[in-house]
Amino acid sequence: MLTVEETKGVTEAAHIPQQRGEPLVDSAVRYAEERHWDVFPGTWLETGDGLERCSCGDAACAAPGAHPFREDWAAQATGSPVAARRLWGRHPRASVLLPTGRTFDVLDVPESTGFLALARMERMDVALGPVACGPARRMAFFVLPGAAAKTADLIRGLGWSPAGLDLLAKGEGGYVVAPPTRVGGQGSVQWVRRPTHANRWLPDAEELISPLAYACGRDAAAARAR
């Protein structure tokens, strides 16, 4: 059970700022231009018979309109705003996907865990990078590249078992779905902490791993107690 202080912090951290609605192409170009992130277009949603389906054609698609549509997506990813505008010019409804392991890695946790960790980080005055959350109720903390290779050792160093915590690190060969992409009828990916000039310099995984592991451990203990 959370203390009164922690509950207050979670409530404050859980406020997601109003998301501005902008065309997907504008978001992709802005990520490439302002953050120097590589971007690539994914699948998109198609409407027929009053239903929305993923452009991949799989009726049982787990992430409709929000996954790569080409096997060579890693080679297609670009950090050029001009190239990004050209790619989305061909597929204007395509989702915005960001490859990990290049300019950033991502630490991925359940949404409830993420908000608890955010509350602790704010009290500890931890410098944060951008943070996103999606309709799958997962939260992505953007950190410096290389996090995926050392996260398990960092968790062990804190006395936790990596297998016992729902804390995933995405690095080279992975990707994340970026706002304002909509995942089928599930909802849109949103920024909890927007990319701004203030968080241009990303934190190292070592700076976030302790509050994230603690929050994951709290959630795991609570689940076992139920």
Side-chain angles (χ1 to χ4, degrees), residues 147-162:
K150 61 185 179 182
T151 294
D153 286 340
L154 291 174
I155 292 172
R156 292 189 191 95
L158 293 170
W160 300 90
S161 165

Side-chain angles (χ1 to χ4, degrees), residues 140-218:
F141 290 76
F142 286 56
V143 294
L144 288 172
K150 61 185 179 182
T151 294
D153 286 340
L154 291 174
I155 292 172
R156 292 189 191 95
L158 293 170
W160 300 90
S161 165
L165 300 182
D166 190 359
L167 195 169
L168 309 175
K170 295 182 179 180
E172 187 175 358
Y175 68 89
V176 291
V177 183
T181 298
R182 188 162 62 89
V183 186
Q186 303 170 35
S188 298
V189 182
Q190 302 183 73
W191 289 114
V192 179
R193 295 290 183 272
R194 291 177 178 278
T196 66
H197 181 74
N199 61 27
R200 178 174 295 277
W201 304 108
L202 299 178
D204 191 276
E206 294 181 39
E207 300 173 60
L208 308 189
I209 201 70
S210 179
L212 284 173
Y214 171 82
C216 285
R218 288 287 298 268

Side-chain angles (χ1 to χ4, degrees), residues 73-194:
W73 61 263
Q76 185 189 28
T78 178
S80 163
V82 174
R85 193 169 291 281
R86 184 169 61 247
L87 286 171
W88 269 267
R90 298 173 190 155
H91 304 289
R93 292 179 294 160
S95 51
V96 181
L97 306 180
L98 311 173
T100 52
R102 299 185 181 187
T103 50
F104 63 83
D105 279 7
V106 158
L107 298 178
D108 180 280
V109 297
E111 185 180 90
S112 59
T113 297
F115 281 128
L116 174 59
L118 273 175
R120 291 179 63 82
M121 290 177 195
E122 287 178 348
R123 290 198 301 276
M124 296 163 63
D125 201 26
V126 173
L128 285 165
V131 182
C133 70
R137 304 188 73 82
R138 303 285 302 186
M139 192 174 290
F141 290 76
F142 286 56
V143 294
L144 288 172
K150 61 185 179 182
T151 294
D153 286 340
L154 291 174
I155 292 172
R156 292 189 191 95
L158 293 170
W160 300 90
S161 165
L165 300 182
D166 190 359
L167 195 169
L168 309 175
K170 295 182 179 180
E172 187 175 358
Y175 68 89
V176 291
V177 183
T181 298
R182 188 162 62 89
V183 186
Q186 303 170 35
S188 298
V189 182
Q190 302 183 73
W191 289 114
V192 179
R193 295 290 183 272
R194 291 177 178 278

